[in-house]
Structures are given as C-alpha cells and as structure tokens.
Amino acid sequence: MMTKQERQSIISDIIEKYEIGTQEELTEKLHELGYEVSQATVSRDINELNLIKGEGSQKKSKYIKPAAANKDMPPRIIEHFRQITLSIDYANNLIIVKTLSGNGGAAGNAIDQMNIKEILGTVAGDDTLLIIARSTADAEKIVKTLRTI
C-alpha cells in the first residue's frame, strides 16, 4: 500500500506530464498506471496539494501547481487569500483585487510570495490591491490563475 506522500508525489508527476482537467480524469490516469484510489481520495489530495485550474494547450483547463505551491507557500496563506478576496478584475495590464477592509496588504503579501514572473509589482491600499502586469495578455493569465485560487 502506498503512503499519502507517495500518492501525492505521483499525482504531481501526472499533472506535469499530462493535461488533466477533472478529478475523474486524474482518478482514471492513476488506475491506468496501476494505482487503486477512490475519487474522494483524489479530491482530498488535490486540495492538500493546492492544485488549481490553469489554461491548457490541448484542453480548456488543466490542473497545475500554482506558483505559491511551487515555492512551498504555506497553505494557510493561500486559504487566507481566498477568504479576504472579494473580486479580481483587470483593464489592460492593471489588475485590481478588492479585499475585505484592512486586507489589501495581506493580499499583496500573498501575491508577492507567489513569485509570478509576469507581475512587475504590487501596490496595496486598505481594501484594494493594484497588480501591474507586464502586458494585457499577462494580466489576463494572472487573473485566470488568481480566480482559480
């Protein structure tokens, strides 16, 4: 029987090699490779690995590790970002993240720790975070990623 850590390592390898867009696809791929797991277990693993949906090249979306997860960002910071964020929108290369009052700085800190290369910088206010992206296309990509967090 494999350990949770081994299973999650295998899941990480699978999503790097294949475009997996659903829990069902991931469960099927694990079965294909000879690993017997339930969809409920896969669901828990997805949450614990902080996997998000990103843009695929062959499919509309696929599971990816956010920059935050790749940098070993504590899951509690990601969860805090989820809880304090009210909306995310953009115009050209400027992204506005609206947060609960007093949380603009916390959202900025979380974004900065993600080390997203398309971000030039962030400026935080009381309940608003301004993210400056390198281009409009980068802003669109960043917004998609942040909305899936």
Side-chain angles (χ1 to χ4, degrees):
M1 181 135 201
M2 89 176 106
T3 67
K4 176 168 77 168
Q5 190 174 18
E6 290 170 331
R7 186 180 61 249
Q8 289 182 352
S9 176
I10 292 164
I11 288 172
S12 293
D13 290 344
I14 289 172
I15 65 163
E16 285 180 28
K17 292 178 185 169
Y18 305 97
E19 286 198 8
I20 304 290
T22 66
Q23 291 178 13
E24 294 84 6
E25 287 177 31
L26 185 52
T27 304
E28 286 174 21
K29 182 56 81 175
L30 285 162
H31 289 170
E32 238 177 72
L33 297 172
Y35 302 106
E36 289 306 313
V37 295
S38 69
Q39 189 172 336
T41 299
V42 169
S43 177
R44 281 190 299 276
D45 288 339
I46 288 169
N47 286 330
E48 289 177 17
L49 289 167
N50 294 315
L51 300 182
I52 61 172
K53 293 281 184 105
E55 207 171 321
S57 58
Q58 298 168 345
K59 296 181 177 185
K60 187 175 180 181
S61 67
K62 65 178 183 173
Y63 282 114
I64 60 171
K65 282 188 159 193
N70 291 338
K71 299 295 178 195
D72 296 322
M73 184 179 196
R76 62 184 168 73
I77 292 177
I78 294 171
E79 184 57 32
H80 184 64
F81 180 79
R82 286 181 190 142
Q83 292 174 354
I84 63 173
T85 302
L86 300 175
S87 67
I88 302 171
D89 207 350
Y90 75 102
N92 298 319
N93 70 321
L94 305 176
I95 303 165
I96 298 293
V97 178
K98 290 297 221 173
T99 68
L100 297 173
S101 182
N103 285 285
N109 183 41
I111 297 294
D112 289 344
Q113 288 185 46
M114 291 181 194
N115 295 317
I116 300 172
K117 69 179 190 269
E118 294 86 4
I119 293 178
L120 289 174
T122 59
V123 180
D126 179 62
D127 64 353
T128 305
L129 174 67
L130 169 65
I131 301 171
I132 303 166
R134 295 187 180 281
S135 68
T136 301
D138 287 341
E140 185 176 342
K141 180 179 171 186
I142 293 164
V143 167
K144 283 182 182 178
T145 299
L146 294 178
R147 284 181 178 162
T148 60
I149 291 177

